[in-house]
Amino acid sequence: MKANLMRLALLALVSIVSLTVYSQSPRGSNGLRESDKSNPATVQNTGLRMAKDEDRKNETRDGEYWFNRGYSLHQSDQYIGAIEAFSHSIGLGYRQATAMYNVACGYSLLNDKDNALFWLNRSLAAGFDRADLLKNDSDLDPLRSDPRFKEIVQKVSFTKKEDKPGKDKTISRLEDAINNFEQLRRESSRDGDEWYKVGSRLLRLRDFDRAADALTQAVDHLGYRGSSAMYNLACTYALKGDRALGLEWLEKSINAGFDNTDKLNDDPDIASLRGEPRFKNIQELSRVLSLSQFNSQGFDGSQYSKQGWAPAIKTYESLLRANPNNGRGWFNFGYALHYSREHSRAIQAFGQAIQFGYRKPTSLYNIACGHAMMGNRDAAFEWLEKSVDAGFDIEGYINSDDDLDSLRSDPRFKRFSRMADDEHKHKEKTDK
């Protein structure tokens, strides 16, 4: 409700200001909201005119400040504040057409299609001439499935003057995403990462039915890595108006490891869920399950400290009494116990996390570390082998993790070190 009132207030603010339009300077190659300078007006050689030009210069300087502030806020995903700043820029006569376009982008990302399309039309009427951005700017993706946006696009020619007629074979961003979706479906793809990419694109383009199908496939094939796909499914259903499924997938994403409190607080895609009583419980669950809450000044959460981790142990003991089947809770409990040097209890906790399907490869590796810290070499190598078989990426850990120091003199360790080296070389080749 507050956001809607703010948007109405901003619309009223911009509607009452003078809309004298100045010519727009060409945009830079790196995109829309670049902070370039406008061309200075011609100054006539009279005292009165010089005074007026000085006033205009000061006014433009103020407008430039608000324009740049809007750019900064937009880049930080603070769209309401950005719209307000660009509105000041418009009122002060600074780069009005581009500022109007940026207001349209902000409303688009806030899922306010009516205001987005209104300001997009207004920017074009005021002289905004970056037709390429209408075609390619991802900020406008939420509008692309709307017939009104397609009408706007049809009014603008995307073919450059030097292009020959009939040679422009490019397709729209929405068509490209649909083609990728159909290809994955034809191939019966089991690549969870590709399903996630196309599902997330379709969500942004507001093709909700295909997005839901793709993201469901992503969840099925990504396994323990599917928390972000679950969150995007929650966004998809929230935007479709199915709040029950939106809340269900949001809670699943939190329990599966999604850890972004800013998204829960500010993401406009789940705005429809925030008024639901259940949402507050999910928000609190997210806070409790975030290990970052235990970081403090002088304690970064990756240090051995019985005192430092005592609050976390208490928190997760309490959580697990009420929710004994929460795999993420068991994993966090094991993590806190491990860094409190309570390795036997930590191993048991990670075993419970595995039982409930939470981050199996990492949990197996952490059990290996616990045994290594206790001097149980045979058990450590056994669980290290299990972690590799389950898909744990040892490259970034095996040669640098202090927890494994007790194993390095054992001949068996060399095999795992070679695995890590081979994996590193393989990644170097595939990254070229």
Side-chain angles (χ1 to χ4, degrees):
M1 179 64 73
K2 289 181 180 178
N4 290 334
L5 290 174
M6 176 65 78
R7 292 173 202 168
L8 290 173
L10 292 174
L11 182 58
L13 169 66
V14 184
S15 298
I16 63 175
V17 299
S18 172
L19 291 178
T20 302
V21 178
Y22 298 95
S23 62
Q24 300 299 306
S25 58
R27 304 302 304 132
S29 62
N30 62 338
L32 153 69
R33 287 165 291 272
E34 183 179 81
S35 301
D36 54 340
K37 304 286 186 180
S38 59
N39 294 327
T42 303
V43 180
Q44 297 185 5
N45 191 21
T46 66
L48 178 60
R49 185 57 182 270
M50 288 177 66
K52 289 183 177 179
D53 286 343
E54 185 63 26
D55 289 342
R56 185 179 292 111
K57 183 178 179 182
N58 290 335
E59 188 175 78
T60 303
R61 183 181 298 128
D62 290 338
E64 181 180 11
Y65 164 79
W66 285 110
F67 187 94
N68 291 341
R69 178 168 174 77
Y71 174 82
S72 177
L73 289 168
H74 189 95
Q75 293 297 97
S76 301
D77 299 336
Q78 299 179 53
Y79 304 124
I80 292 177
I83 290 170
E84 184 177 6
F86 285 127
S87 300
H88 284 296
S89 174
I90 294 167
L92 291 166
Y94 184 79
R95 300 186 61 193
Q96 289 177 315
T98 303
M100 290 175 189
Y101 177 83
N102 292 345
V103 169
C105 289
Y107 278 125
S108 172
L109 293 168
L110 286 168
N111 301 311
D112 189 339
K113 290 186 178 182
D114 291 338
N115 272 326
L117 292 165
F118 171 80
W119 285 106
L120 187 58
N121 270 315
R122 202 160 192 174
S123 73
L124 296 172
F128 186 75
D129 59 1
R130 289 295 306 278
D132 59 311
L133 289 173
L134 287 179
K135 187 176 182 181
N136 298 315
D137 192 344
S138 61
D139 285 357
L140 300 179
D141 282 354
L143 307 179
R144 297 189 188 281
S145 59
D146 192 298
R148 294 171 294 175
F149 180 79
K150 295 176 182 178
E151 289 178 11
I152 294 173
V153 172
Q154 287 173 357
K155 297 177 184 177
V156 182
S157 172
F158 291 119
T159 306
K160 296 179 180 178
K161 292 181 180 179
E162 65 269 18
D163 288 343
K164 294 180 179 180
K167 293 295 184 181
D168 184 6
K169 297 182 179 179
T170 59
I171 60 176
S172 73
R173 293 169 65 85
L174 179 57
E175 289 172 326
D176 185 52
I178 292 174
N179 289 343
N180 290 343
F181 170 84
E182 294 296 344
Q183 181 179 352
L184 290 174
R185 189 162 64 173
R186 284 194 304 271
E187 296 172 351
S188 300
S189 174
R190 300 180 63 83
D191 189 330
D193 292 308
E194 289 302 315
W195 279 114
Y196 173 73
K197 288 177 185 177
V198 74
S200 299
R201 286 181 66 194
L202 290 164
L203 166 60
R204 192 175 181 89
L205 291 158
R206 300 310 188 241
D207 188 338
F208 298 128
D209 291 337
R210 289 188 181 91
D213 288 345
L215 291 167
T216 299
Q217 290 285 343
V219 171
D220 290 343
H221 296 307
L222 285 173
Y224 72 94
R225 297 188 295 116
S227 62
S228 292
M230 294 177 187
Y231 177 81
N232 283 356
L233 262 178
C235 294
T236 301
Y237 286 117
L239 290 167
K240 283 185 71 174
D242 192 334
R243 296 179 186 174
L245 273 177
L247 289 165
E248 179 181 332
W249 280 106
L250 184 61
E251 185 168 0
K252 285 182 178 180
S253 75
I254 300 303
N255 284 324
F258 186 78
D259 190 6
N260 191 324
T261 54
D262 290 341
K263 286 284 188 183
L264 263 66
N265 293 334
D266 302 321
D267 191 343
D269 286 357
I270 58 171
S272 65
L273 306 182
R274 294 195 179 95
E276 298 291 322
R278 184 179 170 188
F279 182 83
K280 293 182 179 179
N281 295 332
I282 295 173
Q283 203 169 27
E284 175 61 14
L285 178 65
S286 175
R287 185 195 67 79
V288 171
L289 286 174
S290 178
L291 280 168
S292 62
Q293 67 178 298
F294 301 106
N295 294 352
S296 60
Q297 188 173 8
F299 179 68
D300 66 5
S302 61
Q303 301 170 353
Y304 283 98
S305 170
K306 196 171 187 67
Q307 180 180 359
W309 282 105
I313 292 174
K314 183 177 180 181
T315 294
Y316 294 120
E317 282 177 333
S318 176
L319 172 73
L320 292 168
R321 279 195 294 270
N323 302 277
N325 298 333
N326 191 298
R328 185 177 174 186
W330 281 109
F331 182 93
N332 290 0
F333 186 42
Y335 191 91
L337 289 167
H338 180 87
Y339 279 103
S340 297
R341 298 188 185 278
E342 296 187 46
H343 299 301
S344 293
R345 294 180 66 197
I347 288 170
Q348 293 175 359
F350 286 126
Q352 290 292 98
I354 294 169
Q355 180 181 337
F356 294 114
Y358 187 78
R359 297 182 66 182
K360 180 179 178 180
T362 306
S363 295
L364 291 168
Y365 176 80
N366 289 347
I367 290 175
C369 289
H371 282 297
M373 293 291 288
M374 292 189 296
N376 302 330
R377 288 190 177 188
D378 290 343
F381 281 113
E382 177 186 346
W383 287 95
L384 196 56
E385 186 79 44
K386 289 180 180 179
S387 73
V388 172
D389 291 342
F392 186 75
D393 184 358
I394 63 171
E395 180 206 345
Y397 297 89
I398 198 74
N399 291 320
S400 58
D401 193 340
D402 294 342
D403 288 355
L404 303 179
D405 283 353
S406 66
L407 308 181
R408 299 188 192 283
S409 61
D410 193 298
R412 290 172 289 182
F413 188 81
K414 292 181 181 179
R415 185 169 70 87
F416 292 97
S417 184
R418 284 196 300 269
M419 283 185 194
D421 291 341
D422 291 343
E423 198 169 303
H424 178 70
K425 292 176 183 176
H426 176 72
K427 286 182 178 179
E428 283 188 330
K429 287 181 180 180
T430 56
D431 288 344
K432 288 182 179 179

